[in-house]
C-alpha cells in the first residue's frame, strides 16, 4: 500500500469522523447530563433527514432545510421533554423499552407519510462533484460538511466551556443534585439539553442526506454508531465524542485498505479495546 | 361403424377434456395462491411494488384463465426465521401454489418447504442455487440468475469499450455477491482483463468511501458494483461524489429498476451502466400489453419489482389452466418446458432445471435533460440470454 493511499484514507476517515461526531454529540450530551438512555436518538437523525428531503423537494433550497429541519426537531423535542421526563427515574431497561417503542413509532410513521422507498437528496448546486488536489480527490459536499461540522463543534465547545449554561451542564454530569441545591432550575436545563441534543442529531441527518440518501431504516445505523462513539469518547464528554468520532472514522477508512471485509468489525474491536484499557472511555471520568 | 353408444362415449370424453369444461370445473374450485414478500423492513422497497404486481396479475388475469383465485400475502420481513413459519401455516391450511420472496435467503428455504409440503413455487429470487445446486421439481424461477447477469453486462461492456483493461470490483461478503464475483472473474480470465482489485464489505455497510478510494488508487478503467438494493445505491452515489465517474466507467451489475433509479437520481445515474432484468421500454408485444395493463389499472409505468410479482403469479395461473387441474404434479408437468410471450419477449421455462430462459439487459443512465418523462432514466444498450447448459448446470433434479 502506498503512503499516498494511506494518507488519502486517513483524510477520508477524518471526514467520516466529523459526520460521526455530529451524530454522537447529541446522544452524549443527553446521556451525560440526564443519564437517560435514549434509543430514539436515531429517530431524530431520521426525522432530520426526511425533513431535509421534504423541504428540498418542496423548495429546492438545501440551505433552508439546513436551517429549518434541526430547528423544528429541537422545538418539538423541547415541547415533548416534560412528557419524556417521567422516564428519567425508571430503570435503564424500561427507558430502553420505552424509547425503542418511540423509535419504531417514528420509523413506521415515516413509512406511512412517505413510503418504504429510499429517496435521493441532491447536494446544493455549488457543492456537487469532486474537488481535485493533484492525485487527491474529495467530494466538495463532504469538504463542506467537514468545515461546517468543525464550525458547529467550535460553537458547541464555546457553549459548553465558556458560558454559564455550559458550566451548569458540565457540573450536571458530575452531580445533578449539587446543581439543583445551588438553586438552578433543573427542569429548564433538562428541556434545553434535550432540545439541543435532538436538534444536533437532526442536523447530522440533514448533513448526511445528500451523502447517503434517506430511507426509513437509517436511524438504526446512526444509533449504533452514536453509542460506539459515546462509549469510546466517554459519556457526556464533548472532546471525547470528537475524538471517538475521528478515531472510528479513521479506523474504518484505513481498514478498508488492509482488510475491507472487516472494516465494520474493527469499529467494535476498537470499542472493546478501549473499554478494556479505559473503562470510562478516552476522555470520560470515573 | 360408429354406434350411438361409442358416439356418446367419445363426445362425452372429449367434452370433459375440453378446456371450456375444464375451466368451468376449475372455476367451481377456488384456487389459493400465496405470495411471500418483504412488505416491511429494509427490503419493503422491493416487496411493496412486487405486491402491487402480484395483486394486479390476480385481479386482471384470473378471469381470463377462468379461475376463481384467492390470494394470501405473507410479509416475509426479509427474514427466513419469520417467513418460513408463516409459510408452513399456509401449507397446513391447504395452500399449494406459491410465488415471491425478495431475498435469496428467504427464497431458498421457501423452495425446500414448498417441496416438502407438496406444492408449486415460482420464485422471484436471484441466487444461482434455486435452479442450480438446490433445484427442485416443485420450484420454477423467473429472473435470470447471477451467471446470466454477469455475462450480459460485463461481456457487452468489454466489447463496447475494448480499451477498458483494468477492472475493480466491490462485493458484499455473502452468497449472492460471491456468486457474481466468481463469474466476473471467469469472464476477466476469458477476456484477458486485469482484475486490479476487489473490496469485500459486510451486508450492513453504509460508508463506501474507503473502498472507492481503493478503486481510485488501483487506477481501474471500470468499477463493477456486484451488489443490489440500498447498499448498491449508496455505493454508486458515493462513487459519483468521489469523482469516479470522471475517472472510470461504472457498472452496477444488478439493478432493481425504476424505484432504484429514482432513489439514485438522474444526475448520478447519467452514463452509469446498469444491469437489469426488465425495463418498461422493452420493445415486445408482451411488454406492451404489460405496460398498458399497469398504466390503465395502477396508473404507473411498471418497474422490475412490479413485473416480477406480476409474472410469477401469472405463471402459476397459466400452469393451472394448462394442466386443467389444481393437482400440483399436473401443474408442474404443464409448466415444464412451457414457452410463452413474456414481458422480455419469448420466454421459456426450461424443463431440466425449471429456469426461465429470458433476456437480461445492459442499460445506460440518461442525462437529466434527455428524459422523456419522470420514469425515463435509462437507454437499453444490449440484451441477451446466457444460462449454463444442462452439461454445466449444478442442477440434479430430484
Amino acid at each position: 500500500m502506498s503512503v499516498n493511499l494511506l494518507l488519502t484514507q486517513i483524510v477520508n476517515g477524518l471526514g467520516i469522523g466529523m459526520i460521526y461526531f455530529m451524530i454522537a454529540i447529541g446522544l452524549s450530551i443527553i446521556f451525560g447530563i440526564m443519564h437517560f438512555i435514549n434509543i430514539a436518538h436515531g429517530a431524530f437523525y431520521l426525522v432530520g433527514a426526511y425533513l431535509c428531503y421534504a423541504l428540498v423537494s418542496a423548495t429546492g433550497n438545501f440551505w433552508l432545510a439546513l436551517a429549518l429541519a434541526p430547528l423544528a426537531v429541537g422545538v418539538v423535542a423541547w415541547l415533548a421533554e416534560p412528557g419524556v421526563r417521567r422516564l428519567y427515574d425508571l430503570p435503564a431497561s424500561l427507558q430502553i423499552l420505552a424509547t425503542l417503542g418511540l423509535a419504531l413509532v417514528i420509523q413506521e410513521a415515516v413509512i406511512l407519510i412517505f413510503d418504504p422507498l429510499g429517496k435521493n437528496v441532491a447536494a446544493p448546486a455549488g457543492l456537487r462533484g469532486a474537488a481535485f488536489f493533484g492525485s487527491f480527490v474529495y467530494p466538495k459536499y463532504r469538504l463542506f460538511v467537514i468545515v461546517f461540522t468543525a464550525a458547529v463543534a467550535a460553537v458547541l465547545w464555546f457553549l459548553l466551556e465558556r458560558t454559564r449554561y455550559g458550566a451548569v451542564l458540565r457540573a450536571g454530569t458530575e452531580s445533578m443534585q449539587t446543581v439543583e441545591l445551588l438553586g438552578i432550575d433543573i427542569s429548564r436545563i433538562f428541556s434545553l439539553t434535550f432540545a439541543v441534543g435532538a436538534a444536533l442529531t437532526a442536523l447530522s441527518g440533514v448533513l448526511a442526506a445528500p451523502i447517503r440518501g434517506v430511507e426509513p431504516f437509517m436511524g438504526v445505523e446512526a444509533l449504533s454508531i452514536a453509542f460506539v462513539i459515546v462509549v469510546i469518547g466517554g459519556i457526556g464528554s464533548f472532546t471525547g465524542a470528537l475524538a471517538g468520532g475521528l478515531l472510528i472514522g479513521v479506523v474504518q477508512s484505513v481498514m478498508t485498505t488492509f482488510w475491507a471485509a472487516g472494516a465494520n468489525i474493527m469499529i467494535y474491536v476498537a470499542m472493546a479495546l478501549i473499554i478494556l484499557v479505559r473503562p470510562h472511555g478516552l476522555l470520560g471520568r470515573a | 361403424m360408429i354406434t350411438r353408444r361409442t358416439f356418446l362415449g367419445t363426445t362425452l370424453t372429449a367434452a370433459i377434456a375440453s378446456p371450456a369444461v375444464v375451466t368451468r370445473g376449475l372455476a367451481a374450485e377456488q384456487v389459493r395462491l400465496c405470495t411471500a414478500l418483504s412488505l416491511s423492513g429494509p427490503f419493503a422497497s422491493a416487496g411493496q411494488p412486487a405486491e402491487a404486481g402480484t395483486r394486479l396479475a390476480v385481479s386482471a388475469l384470473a378471469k381470463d384463465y377462468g379461475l376463481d383465485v384467492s390470494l394470501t400475502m405473507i410479509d416475509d420481513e426479509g427474514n427466513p426465521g419469520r417467513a418460513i413459519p408463516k409459510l408452513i401455516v399456509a401449507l397446513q391450511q391447504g395452500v399449494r401454489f406459491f410465488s415471491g420472496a425478495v431475498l435469496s435467503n428467504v427464497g431458498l428455504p421457501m423452495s425446500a418447504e414448498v417441496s416438502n409440503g407438496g406444492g408449486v413455487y415460482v420464485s422471484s429470487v436471484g441466487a444461482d442455487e434455486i435452479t442450480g445446486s438446490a433445484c427442485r421439481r416443485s420450484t420454477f424461477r423467473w429472473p435470470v440468475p447471477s451467471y446470466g447477469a454477469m455475462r450480459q453486462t460485463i461481456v457487452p461492456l468489454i466489447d463496447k469499450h475494448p480499451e477498458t483493461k483494468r477492472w475493480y470490483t466491490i462485493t458484499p461478503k455473502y452468497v449472492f455477491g460471491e456468486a457474481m464475483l466468481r463469474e466476473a472473474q471467469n469472464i476477466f480470465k476469458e477476456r484477458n482483463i486485469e482484475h486490479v482489485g476487489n473490496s469485500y464489505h459486510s451486508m450492513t455497510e453504509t460508508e463506501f468511501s474507503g473502498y472507492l478510494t481503493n478503486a481510485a488508487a488501483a487506477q481501474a478503467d471500470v468499477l463493477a458494483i456486484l451488489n443490489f438494493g440500498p447498499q448498491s445505491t449508496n455505493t454508486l452515489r458515493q462513487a459519483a461524489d468521489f469523482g469516479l465517474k470522471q475517472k472510470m466507467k461504472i457498472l452496477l451489475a444488478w439493478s432493481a429498476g425504476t424505484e432504484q433509479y429514482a432513489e439514485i437520481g438522474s444526475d448520478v445515474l447519467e452514463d452509469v451502466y446498469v444491469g437489469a432484468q426488465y425495463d418498461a421500454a422493452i420493445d415486445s408485444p408482451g411488454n406492451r400489453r404489460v405496460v398498458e395493463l399497469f398504466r390503465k389499472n395502477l396508473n404507473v409505468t411498471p418497474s422490475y419489482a412490479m413485473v416480477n410479482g406480476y409474472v410469477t403469479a401469472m405463471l402459476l395461473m397459466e400452469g393451472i389452466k394448462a394442466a386443467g387441474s389444481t393437482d400440483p404434479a399436473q401443474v408442474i408437468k404443464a409448466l415444464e418446458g412451457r414457452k410463452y410471450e413474456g414481458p422480455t419477449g419469448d420466454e421459456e421455462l426450461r424443463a431440466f432445471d425449471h429456469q426461465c430462459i429470458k433476456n437480461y439487459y445492459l442499460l445506460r443512465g440518461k442525462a437529466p435533460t434527455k428524459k422523456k418523462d419522470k420514469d425515463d432514466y435509462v437507454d437499453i444498450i444490449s440484451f441477451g440470454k446466457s444460462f449454463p447448459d444442462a452439461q454445466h448446470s449444478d442442477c440434479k433434479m430430484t
Side-chain angles (χ1 to χ4, degrees):
Chain A
M1 184 181 65
S2 70
V3 176
N4 193 27
L5 176 58
L6 182 63
L7 286 174
T8 305
Q9 293 289 27
I10 290 172
V11 173
N12 182 47
L14 292 174
I16 299 169
M18 290 302 278
I19 298 168
Y20 286 172
F21 160 72
M22 281 300 295
I23 294 172
I25 185 64
L27 182 71
S28 184
I29 290 173
I30 293 172
F31 201 15
I33 303 295
M34 299 155 74
H35 304 292
F36 173 47
I37 303 172
N38 181 22
I39 298 292
H41 178 79
F44 296 149
Y45 173 80
L46 171 71
V47 172
Y50 265 90
L51 280 177
C52 172
Y53 164 72
L55 285 166
V56 171
S57 301
T59 66
N61 190 336
F62 175 81
W63 306 111
L64 191 68
L66 188 67
L68 288 186
L71 190 66
V73 172
V75 168
V76 170
W78 184 67
L79 293 171
E81 194 275 337
V84 177
R85 202 172 291 165
R86 64 188 62 187
L87 298 175
Y88 299 161
D89 295 328
L90 294 177
S93 57
L94 292 182
Q95 289 183 359
I96 290 170
L97 273 178
T99 52
L100 176 64
L102 179 63
L104 290 173
V105 167
I106 293 172
Q107 180 181 290
E108 293 306 311
V110 164
I111 293 174
L112 281 175
I113 294 167
F114 298 91
D115 56 48
L117 305 178
K119 315 284 180 202
N120 180 46
V121 177
L127 297 176
R128 288 175 198 161
F132 292 79
F133 308 96
S135 62
F136 180 71
V137 181
Y138 206 70
K140 288 179 192 167
Y141 179 75
R142 286 194 187 221
L143 282 175
F144 158 75
V145 170
I146 292 171
V147 173
F148 182 80
T149 309
V152 171
V155 170
L156 263 178
W157 177 84
F158 184 81
L159 184 74
L160 293 171
E161 301 290 333
R162 293 286 183 268
T163 65
R164 186 172 179 276
Y165 169 71
V168 172
L169 278 188
R170 282 182 286 119
T173 59
E174 301 292 326
S175 170
M176 197 49 85
Q177 286 78 12
T178 310
V179 173
E180 213 164 5
L181 286 171
L182 289 170
I184 293 166
D185 183 356
I186 206 70
S187 60
R188 277 186 59 199
I189 296 292
F190 276 9
S191 292
L192 194 58
T193 303
F194 195 64
V196 169
L200 286 169
T201 312
L203 179 62
S204 65
V206 175
L207 291 171
I211 294 175
R212 43 100 68 236
V214 302
E215 44 89 15
F217 304 95
M218 64 193 291
V220 179
E221 156 212 340
L223 180 69
S224 59
I225 287 285
F227 265 106
V228 167
I229 290 167
V230 168
V231 169
I232 285 179
I235 293 166
S237 168
F238 168 81
T239 43
L242 185 59
L246 294 177
L247 177 71
I248 289 302
V250 170
V251 165
Q252 190 181 18
S253 185
V254 171
M255 282 310 297
T256 56
T257 300
F258 287 112
W259 182 35
N264 256 5
I265 297 169
M266 288 311 294
I267 294 175
Y268 300 97
V269 171
M271 180 176 79
L273 286 174
I274 285 167
I275 289 173
L276 283 174
V277 178
R278 290 186 62 88
H280 296 283
L282 287 174
L283 296 162
R285 292 180 191 165
Chain B
M1 183 191 222
I2 298 174
T3 63
R4 193 168 63 103
R5 185 182 294 269
T6 51
F7 174 78
L8 281 174
T10 309
T11 50
L12 188 61
T13 308
I16 288 168
S18 77
V21 174
V22 168
T23 303
R24 226 176 291 131
L26 277 171
E29 180 187 355
Q30 191 174 60
V31 177
R32 298 171 69 188
L33 303 190
C34 176
T35 302
L37 293 167
S38 303
L39 302 176
S40 62
F43 294 94
S45 55
Q48 293 195 355
E51 182 194 12
T54 308
R55 291 194 186 281
L56 179 62
V58 171
S59 65
L61 302 180
K63 202 174 165 189
D64 293 347
Y65 288 129
L67 302 175
D68 174 17
V69 176
S70 77
L71 177 65
T72 304
M73 202 58 76
I74 287 178
D75 179 6
D76 69 29
E77 303 174 52
N79 179 343
R82 301 273 176 83
I84 298 307
K86 294 177 189 175
L87 185 86
I88 290 170
V89 170
L91 279 162
Q92 286 170 340
Q93 289 172 341
V95 179
R96 289 293 174 268
F97 299 101
F98 295 85
S99 66
V102 169
L103 298 178
S104 296
N105 66 351
V106 174
L108 281 162
M110 195 171 160
S111 171
E113 286 301 333
V114 173
S115 174
N116 293 339
V120 183
Y121 170 42
V122 181
S123 180
S124 300
V125 304
D128 287 338
E129 287 86 342
I130 280 274
T131 51
S133 57
C135 69
R136 287 184 165 82
R137 176 84 42 211
S138 55
T139 301
F140 296 80
R141 184 247 297 275
W142 185 66
V144 174
S146 53
Y147 173 91
M150 291 292 93
R151 292 271 156 191
Q152 288 300 328
T153 51
I154 295 177
V155 172
L157 194 52
I158 292 170
D159 291 341
K160 191 171 170 56
H161 296 285
E163 74 282 4
T164 55
K165 295 288 185 193
R166 296 165 61 82
W167 285 56
Y168 194 94
T169 50
I170 297 181
T171 314
K173 185 93 180 137
Y174 94 120
V175 59
F176 182 67
E178 298 271 19
M180 290 214 280
L181 178 62
R182 197 166 46 244
E183 197 48 41
Q185 286 170 329
N186 288 340
I187 298 168
F188 295 154
K189 207 170 170 184
E190 287 167 20
R191 302 300 293 260
N192 204 22
I193 294 291
E194 188 181 355
H195 187 203
V196 293
N198 173 61
S199 286
Y200 276 121
H201 61 80
S202 76
M203 286 295 288
T204 55
E205 188 63 271
T206 54
E207 177 57 54
F208 295 93
S209 55
Y211 312 113
L212 298 166
T213 304
N214 289 342
Q219 297 183 315
D221 298 321
V222 181
L223 169 67
I225 301 167
L226 306 181
N227 199 354
F228 77 106
Q231 274 195 325
S232 62
T233 300
N234 261 338
T235 316
L236 187 52
R237 187 182 282 130
Q238 291 175 25
D241 286 347
F242 273 79
L244 262 57
K245 275 173 66 179
Q246 285 84 46
K247 291 184 162 187
M248 58 190 77
K249 310 246 175 270
I250 300 179
L251 167 67
L252 171 59
W254 187 284
S255 77
T258 321
E259 295 95 350
Q260 189 179 21
Y261 307 152
E263 189 179 348
I264 293 167
S266 274
D267 52 334
V268 172
L269 197 62
E270 182 182 357
D271 287 335
V272 171
Y273 289 92
V274 297
Q277 297 278 356
Y278 169 81
D279 188 78
I282 293 168
D283 186 20
S284 76
N287 190 45
R288 281 193 285 276
R289 276 198 302 276
V290 168
V291 171
E292 194 187 331
L293 188 69
F294 273 84
R295 284 185 176 154
K296 190 176 159 196
N297 288 277
L298 303 179
N299 198 26
V300 293
T301 301
S303 65
Y304 162 60
M306 290 175 187
V307 172
N308 196 350
Y310 173 86
V311 173
T312 48
M314 179 199 84
L315 287 173
L316 281 170
M317 291 187 284
E318 192 153 319
I320 294 165
K321 188 196 174 192
S325 162
T326 53
D327 173 16
Q330 296 296 316
V331 175
I332 290 168
K333 209 171 162 189
L335 285 175
E336 277 180 337
R338 187 162 192 81
K339 293 178 181 173
Y340 61 97
E341 195 177 51
T344 66
D346 291 334
E347 298 178 2
E348 178 188 356
L349 291 169
R350 190 161 67 172
F352 85 85
D353 62 354
H354 293 185
Q355 171 63 49
C356 178
I357 304 302
K358 64 177 275 293
N359 287 321
Y360 194 82
Y361 296 82
L362 178 66
L363 316 172
R364 186 173 57 205
K366 273 184 176 176
T369 50
K370 290 185 179 168
K371 289 173 69 174
K372 292 188 200 103
D373 58 61
K374 73 175 180 62
D375 295 321
D376 182 27
Y377 289 96
V378 288
D379 288 316
I380 296 175
I381 303 298
S382 66
F383 57 90
K385 296 170 179 170
S386 293
F387 298 88
D389 58 23
Q391 201 184 346
H392 295 96
S393 169
D394 292 330
C395 175
K396 303 285 175 274
M397 196 67 84
T398 52

